[in-house]
């Protein structure tokens, strides 16, 4: 009986020296060997030359038709040529420096030749030759990533030997139930298919199995961490008044979109249950997250709890307060706002009413997490644009209640695959639908020397009483980066518009008071054009602004461009976005094209993921994404979804914890530390 844990030297032909070379690749045991997957396969299927394109690799079976002719090209160099008949094609085969073929190639003999097909000259530039017809039925030969000291052919032989030894002796690692349900190949069949596939389908099925198995294991770890969290963290069961909540929803001036309804249900369910809510709500700009937040907060209020909503800037907090007061004042729910600029006397009053429980909902900036802000009975906390707050700030706010439920909202669409991978321990809700009747923002990509045409469009909007944003990447001239500087653009535009329109300047170096005052002037319509760095990115709502021009747009990622663009198109008027860019790379061009083609943040996020890959999507190094052997988060998202659902069910299934067929998955879970609540990184 061969054990997979036996040392690699158990295999014939592997001595001390080879074992040493293999150990450099991390291969010590038979198990290590068989889990070293090839990175590609060489296609060695027989091809019909008539259908083979120029310069493609081919393998043919042919009969030698001539005596080989040899040309000597100097020391140890030679070129041998022979005419062969492959099917109905009479072609030449050429080999370099394979002098020995001279005596081996005899007319009438059948050979199998691989090489590159020169269609024009009807010549195969041979790379390998076997004498006799193609005997083995290997259509694909594995190519491994090897240290130069080991040859592919040798390595293939070790692999073949290892797999043959293990035949019939390897335990299946997936339960029969799942194998059957998804029609997956058995472990051995899949290993065979990964290394030595019989055909393309064999390879595909093998890959399918390992992708699923890998993602299932991954999701089992995440789901068990989640389960442990839910079991250990006592939360509030918020028994809201269903009828009151229904009535509240009914009297809103619009009908919720289906996506909003779904998310409201997800949140309600979390509120009711006694575990602590830990949910991420994603919704594109304008998808209507605020009303969803309001319904959640109101639910908590009907159960006698207080709610809090924390926004990253004063302007955003004020906007939220305005919306919420519009809904809550008429029904007697008391909303207050607390920010850095709240007057001392007013602040004292608010704090008092908060402690007494007179205030139902408190909205604010991080002024909410000052030590003297004490709630009477905080049950539900929402933080908007969660990435703007540090983990610590969020924790402090949460700790102001007794395990209140927590909802994080973000307008940054993250592809679902990444969301459930990187935020796997959180529940994720997505509003993936905009309210009906929204106008698409018309987006144009202009070269920098077409600036004037952009300015003409801008002026025509201004003439109609609309307002405009002009976005510049950096605030100061930098020698290294050839980017527009906001101050320069501001001065340029001031000259161009020459007093006809009022221009405002906004950048990160301004004092917070100055920022607020510029923003206020813009939102009140006193400033017509706001020249700004990316600080306007999040949340600002000025419905009269219908035009945005972005300088050096190719310097931004798709997600950020989309966020910026979301500042326009918020009112009844048609809006426009002009991207000024001369991208040098194909990828940059593709980003610009994508922006002109769609307004859908999730589509753009998927595109961004495709262009930049999962690692770069979140920015370097802190992606929190695991590395997979086979699975690819971009292409295998459906499998990830399936694996996630299966894992979530299994974790609560007694069978999983008891039945013998799950023992490998259980063992993997134990070894990962997930059962002790340890994270994996
Ligand atoms: P965001 O998700 O960007 O925070 P908001 O909550 O600010 O979006 O909503 C944008 C606008 O759409 C608001 O004026 C809001 O009242 C409105 N809105 C939200 N949901 C709907 C809906 N289902 N139908 C029509 N308008 C809606
Ligand atoms: Mg919002």
């Amino acid at each position: 009986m061969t054990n997979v844990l036996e040392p690699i030297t158990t295999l014939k032909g592997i001595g001390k020296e080879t074992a040493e070379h293999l150990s450099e690749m991390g291969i010590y045991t038979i198990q290590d060997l068989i889990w070293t997957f090839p990175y590609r396969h060489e296609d060695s299927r027989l091809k019909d030359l008539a259908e083979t394109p120029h310069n493609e690799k081919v393998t043919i079976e042919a009969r030698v038709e001539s005596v080989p002719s040899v040309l000597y090209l100097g020391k140890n160099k030679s070129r041998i040529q022979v005419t062969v008949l492959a099917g109905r094609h009479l072609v030449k085969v050429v080999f370099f420096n394979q002098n020995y073929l001279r005596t081996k190639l005899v007319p009438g003999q059948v050979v199998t030749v691989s090489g590159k097909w020169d269609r024009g000259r009807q010549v195969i530039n041979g790379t390998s030759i076997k004498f006799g017809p193609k005997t083995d039925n290997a259509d694909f030969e594995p190519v491994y990533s090897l240290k130069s000291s080991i040859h592919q052919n040798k390595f293939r032989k070790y692999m073949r030997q290892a797999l043959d030894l293990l035949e019939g002796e390897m335990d299946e690692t997936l339960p029969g139930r799942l194998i059957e349900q998804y029609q997956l190949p058995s472990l051995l069949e899949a290993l065979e298919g990964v290394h030595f596939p019989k055909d393309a389908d064999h390879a595909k099925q093998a890959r399918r199995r390992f992708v699923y198995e890998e993602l299932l294991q991954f999701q089992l770890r995440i789901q068990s961490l989640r389960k442990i969290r839910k079991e250990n963290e006592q939360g509030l069961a918020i028994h809201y008044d269903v009828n009151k909540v229904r009535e509240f929803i009914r009297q809103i001036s619009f009908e919720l979109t289906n996506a909003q309804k779904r998310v409201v249900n997800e949140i309600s369910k979390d509120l009711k249950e006694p575990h602590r809510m830990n949910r991420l709500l994603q919704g594109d700009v304008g998808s209507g997250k605020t009303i969803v937040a309001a319904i959640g907060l109101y639910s908590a209020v009907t159960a006698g709890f207080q709610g809090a909503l924390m926004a990253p800037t004063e302007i955003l907090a004020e906007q939220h307060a305005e919306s919420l007061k519009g809904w809550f004042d008429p029904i007697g729910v008391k909303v207050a706002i607390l920010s850095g600029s709240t007057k001392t006397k007013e602040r004292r009053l608010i704090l008092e009413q908060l402690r007494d429980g007179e205030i139902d909902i408190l909205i604010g900036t991080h002024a909410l997490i000052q030590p003297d802000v004490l709630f009477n009975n905080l049950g539900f906390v929402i933080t908007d644009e969660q990435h703007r707050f540090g983990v610590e700030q969020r924790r402090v706010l949460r700790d102001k209640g007794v395990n209140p439920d927590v909802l994080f909202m973000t307008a940054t669409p993250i592809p679902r695959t990444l969301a459930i991978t990187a935020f796997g321990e959180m529940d994720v809700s997505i509003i993936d639908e905009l309210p009906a009747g929204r106008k698409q923002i018309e987006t144009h990509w202009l070269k920098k020397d077409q600036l004037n045409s952009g300015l003409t469009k801008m002026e025509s909007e201004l003439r109609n009483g609309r307002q405009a944003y002009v976005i510049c990447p950096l605030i100061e001239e930098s020698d290294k980066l050839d980017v527009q500087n906001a101050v320069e653009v501001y001065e340029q535009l001031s000259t161009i518009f020459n007093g006809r329109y009022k221009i405002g300047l906004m950048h990160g170096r301004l004092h917070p008071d100055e920022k607020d005052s510029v923003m206020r002037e813009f939102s009140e319509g006193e400033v017509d054009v706001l020249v700004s760095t990316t600080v306007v990115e999040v949340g600002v709502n000025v419905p009269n602004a219908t035009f945005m021009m972005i300088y050096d747009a190719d310097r931004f990622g798709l997600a950020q461009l989309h966020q910026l663009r979301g500042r326009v198109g918020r009112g009844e008027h048609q809006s426009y976005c002009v991207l000024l860019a001369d991208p040098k790379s194909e990828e940059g061009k593709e980003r610009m094209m994508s922006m002109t083609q769609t307004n859908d943040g999730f589509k753009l996020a998927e595109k961004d993921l495709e262009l930049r890959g999962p690692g770069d999507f979140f920015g370097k190094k802190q992606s929190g994404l695991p590395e997979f052997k086979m699975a690819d988060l971009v292409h295998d998202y459906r499998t990830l979804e399936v694996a996630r659902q299966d894992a979530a069910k299994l974790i609560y299934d007694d069978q999983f914890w008891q039945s013998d067929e799950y023992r490998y998955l259980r063992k993997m879970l134990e070894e990962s530390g997930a059962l002790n609540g340890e994270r994996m990184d």
Side-chain angles (χ1 to χ4, degrees):
M1 168 121 188
T2 310
N3 188 311
V4 287
L5 294 175
E6 280 183 43
I8 198 73
T9 45
T10 319
L11 297 179
K12 270 186 230 117
I14 299 188
K16 229 179 164 185
E17 201 182 329
T18 310
E20 210 149 283
H21 289 314
L22 289 169
S23 74
E24 284 167 36
M25 295 170 58
I27 299 172
Y28 301 91
T29 62
I30 294 182
Q31 168 153 289
D32 298 334
L33 179 70
I34 58 177
W35 288 99
T36 303
F37 289 173
Y39 66 93
R40 68 180 181 87
H41 283 91
E42 198 106 75
D43 186 346
S44 57
R45 283 175 293 188
L46 292 177
K47 293 253 178 70
D48 183 350
L49 288 174
E51 280 157 27
T52 307
H54 179 60
N55 261 346
E56 198 137 289
K57 292 179 100 172
V58 283
T59 299
I60 55 159
E61 224 174 65
R63 196 177 68 209
V64 176
E65 294 291 315
S66 73
V67 175
S69 67
V70 185
L71 195 65
Y72 293 94
L73 304 162
K75 204 180 171 216
N76 293 332
K77 289 190 176 155
S78 66
R79 178 181 182 273
I80 192 162
Q81 178 177 311
V82 70
T83 303
V84 301
L85 183 68
R88 287 173 291 117
H89 294 270
L90 207 53
V91 298
K92 292 195 178 84
V93 174
V94 171
F95 280 95
F96 284 92
N97 311 326
Q98 311 248 0
N99 222 346
Y100 77 99
L101 290 176
R102 194 168 50 97
T103 50
K104 289 246 176 184
L105 291 169
V106 191
Q109 184 184 22
V110 173
V111 289
T112 304
V113 176
S114 299
K116 204 177 206 180
W117 174 225
D118 184 334
R119 198 180 168 94
R121 293 170 45 229
Q122 299 277 296
V123 171
I124 291 172
N125 289 297
T127 49
S128 76
I129 183 164
K130 282 174 194 155
F131 301 96
K134 187 169 181 286
T135 45
D136 53 357
N137 53 2
D139 284 343
F140 298 94
E141 295 201 284
V143 183
Y144 300 89
S145 164
L146 300 176
K147 293 261 178 329
S148 58
S149 44
I150 302 169
H151 294 291
Q152 292 290 346
N153 270 332
K154 278 252 170 73
F155 197 81
R156 285 173 193 154
K157 282 196 181 121
Y158 304 148
M159 193 65 78
R160 185 65 271 158
Q161 216 192 120
L163 290 176
D164 289 344
L165 270 177
L166 293 172
E167 198 168 347
E169 297 192 16
M170 265 185 95
D171 278 337
E172 178 53 68
T173 50
L174 277 177
R177 225 205 72 217
L178 291 173
I179 288 190
E180 218 161 276
Q181 183 178 350
Y182 299 118
Q183 302 276 302
L184 299 171
S186 69
L187 178 59
L188 201 70
E189 224 178 298
L191 280 170
E192 196 66 46
V194 160
H195 293 288
F196 303 106
K198 287 194 289 286
D199 50 34
D201 188 59
H202 190 194
K204 190 175 145 198
Q205 298 305 329
R207 184 177 184 282
R208 202 164 64 81
R209 174 199 157 112
F210 287 123
V211 167
Y212 174 75
E213 188 168 12
E214 192 169 38
L215 292 174
L216 180 69
Q217 292 181 355
F218 167 63
Q219 283 295 328
L220 280 169
R221 293 199 295 272
I222 286 191
Q223 299 300 327
S224 67
L225 282 171
R226 242 164 93 160
K227 177 167 174 255
I228 289 166
R229 177 174 59 71
K230 285 186 178 173
E231 284 167 356
N232 295 346
E233 287 187 8
Q234 270 303 310
L236 296 171
I238 298 185
H239 297 290
Y240 56 85
D241 184 328
V242 184
N243 292 327
K244 278 190 182 164
V245 176
R246 283 212 185 109
E247 174 56 22
F248 177 68
I249 293 174
R250 203 189 51 74
Q251 52 87 48
I252 300 167
S253 63
F254 47 77
E255 164 92 13
L256 294 183
T257 62
N258 286 328
Q260 283 172 317
K261 286 181 193 162
R262 188 183 65 234
V263 172
V264 164
N265 283 334
E266 287 164 354
I267 293 171
S268 306
K269 196 159 167 275
D270 276 1
L271 286 174
K272 248 188 313 199
E273 280 174 12
H275 61 75
R276 199 169 63 70
M277 179 195 310
N278 185 29
R279 185 171 283 279
L280 177 70
L281 168 57
Q282 289 187 63
D284 211 345
V285 276
S287 62
K289 292 185 290 298
T290 319
I291 187 62
V292 170
I295 294 167
L297 290 167
Y298 180 66
S299 301
V301 171
T302 67
F305 289 98
Q306 290 170 303
L309 173 57
M310 184 158 78
T313 66
E314 238 171 76
I315 298 162
L316 274 176
E318 277 170 27
Q319 279 176 12
H320 280 316
E322 205 177 305
S323 309
L324 263 57
K325 280 180 174 163
W327 289 310
F328 290 144
D329 285 353
I331 55 170
V333 171
K334 184 148 184 190
V335 177
I337 176 164
L338 194 64
S339 73
S341 60
T342 309
K343 302 271 183 317
T344 316
K345 215 175 121 190
E346 198 191 336
R347 184 169 191 275
R348 204 177 303 133
L349 182 67
I350 288 176
L351 293 189
E352 202 181 295
Q353 294 181 331
L354 195 63
R355 251 183 322 244
D356 293 346
E358 266 174 68
I359 289 173
D360 298 305
I361 292 165
L362 186 64
I363 298 166
T365 55
H366 25 275
L368 288 194
I369 55 176
Q370 302 303 314
D372 59 341
V373 179
L374 299 171
F375 289 81
N376 182 285
N377 190 13
L378 180 61
F380 188 28
V381 175
I382 301 179
T383 67
D384 195 11
E385 292 309 332
Q386 55 110 19
H387 60 282
R388 291 284 175 113
F389 292 107
V391 174
E392 191 53 22
Q393 287 174 320
R394 299 196 305 248
R395 196 186 58 74
V396 173
L397 181 58
R398 198 185 74 204
D399 290 350
K400 287 189 176 295
V402 182
N403 286 321
D405 283 325
V406 183
L407 179 72
F408 305 97
M409 300 202 295
T410 176
T412 311
I414 305 165
R416 185 165 174 81
T417 43
L418 292 196
I420 64 182
T421 312
F423 302 109
E425 295 155 70
M426 288 176 114
D427 298 296
V428 179
S429 288
I430 300 184
I431 307 182
D432 51 4
E433 181 187 356
L434 292 184
R438 283 283 160 80
K439 288 198 181 71
Q440 296 280 301
I441 300 162
E442 219 180 284
T443 301
H444 300 277
W445 167 26
L446 298 181
K447 299 286 161 60
K448 283 197 225 164
D449 61 13
Q450 298 172 295
L451 170 66
N452 276 335
S453 119
L455 289 174
T456 307
K457 181 67 199 162
M458 177 154 106
E459 184 148 16
S460 99
E461 285 299 294
L462 296 174
R463 217 179 295 122
N464 290 332
R466 305 283 85 78
Q467 290 162 279
Y469 293 97
V470 174
I471 308 293
C472 325
L474 277 189
I475 55 159
E476 273 170 339
E477 192 86 70
S478 152
D479 295 334
K480 279 191 213 141
L481 300 166
D482 176 27
V483 292
Q484 299 286 332
N485 116 20
V487 179
E488 202 178 277
V489 172
Y490 168 77
E491 280 163 5
Q492 216 178 5
L493 290 180
S494 303
T495 313
I496 291 168
F497 291 129
N498 192 22
R500 274 171 294 161
Y501 300 105
K502 188 158 181 229
I503 323 276
L505 176 62
M506 171 83 161
H507 58 67
R509 296 266 169 107
L510 295 179
H511 189 272
D513 289 347
E514 292 173 291
K515 279 191 208 163
D516 269 355
S517 100
V518 178
M519 274 320 299
R520 205 153 281 138
E521 282 176 359
F522 186 63
S523 76
E524 283 161 12
E526 283 162 38
V527 161
D528 300 297
V529 180
L530 186 68
V531 175
S532 174
T533 56
T534 56
V535 289
V536 293
E537 197 184 328
V538 168
V540 178
N541 188 28
V542 182
N544 190 47
T546 57
F547 184 90
M548 174 173 284
M549 184 150 75
I550 305 178
Y551 274 84
D552 289 323
D554 56 324
R555 291 193 187 281
F556 297 103
L558 275 176
Q560 202 180 6
L561 285 171
H562 178 67
Q563 281 293 308
L564 287 166
R565 180 171 61 180
R567 299 309 104 215
V568 298
R570 303 177 77 85
E572 58 194 301
H573 306 286
Q574 175 61 49
S575 288
Y576 306 90
C577 178
V578 167
L579 309 170
L580 277 180
D582 299 339
K584 287 184 188 69
S585 67
E586 281 308 308
E587 193 238 274
K589 287 175 196 160
E590 220 175 306
R591 264 185 286 139
M592 298 304 104
M593 294 298 291
S594 302
M595 284 296 291
T596 63
Q597 283 159 3
T598 182
N599 273 266
D600 182 328
F602 280 96
K603 276 199 192 125
L604 289 169
E606 299 284 355
K607 186 76 194 175
D608 210 17
L609 177 61
E610 183 192 313
L611 288 174
R612 295 196 293 167
D616 282 345
F617 187 85
F618 287 115
K620 301 232 151 49
K621 290 283 166 225
Q622 34 157 288
S623 65
L625 297 171
E627 295 218 350
F628 296 115
K629 211 176 179 74
M630 271 268 166
D632 165 348
L633 290 175
V634 181
H635 296 107
D636 298 319
Y637 66 96
R638 282 197 197 87
T639 310
L640 176 62
E641 189 69 49
V642 169
R644 191 177 78 104
Q645 283 166 14
D646 288 348
K649 262 190 243 140
L650 283 175
I651 284 296
Y652 288 95
D653 185 347
D654 287 345
Q655 283 252 331
F656 176 77
W657 297 105
Q658 287 154 17
S659 154
D660 200 44
E661 53 171 10
Y662 289 101
R663 70 187 182 283
Y664 276 94
L665 290 173
R666 282 200 304 271
K667 186 161 151 254
M668 177 280 307
L669 252 185
E670 266 158 38
E671 285 169 359
S672 77
L675 295 182
N676 306 320
E678 284 168 34
R679 282 153 196 283
M680 68 211 122
D681 285 307

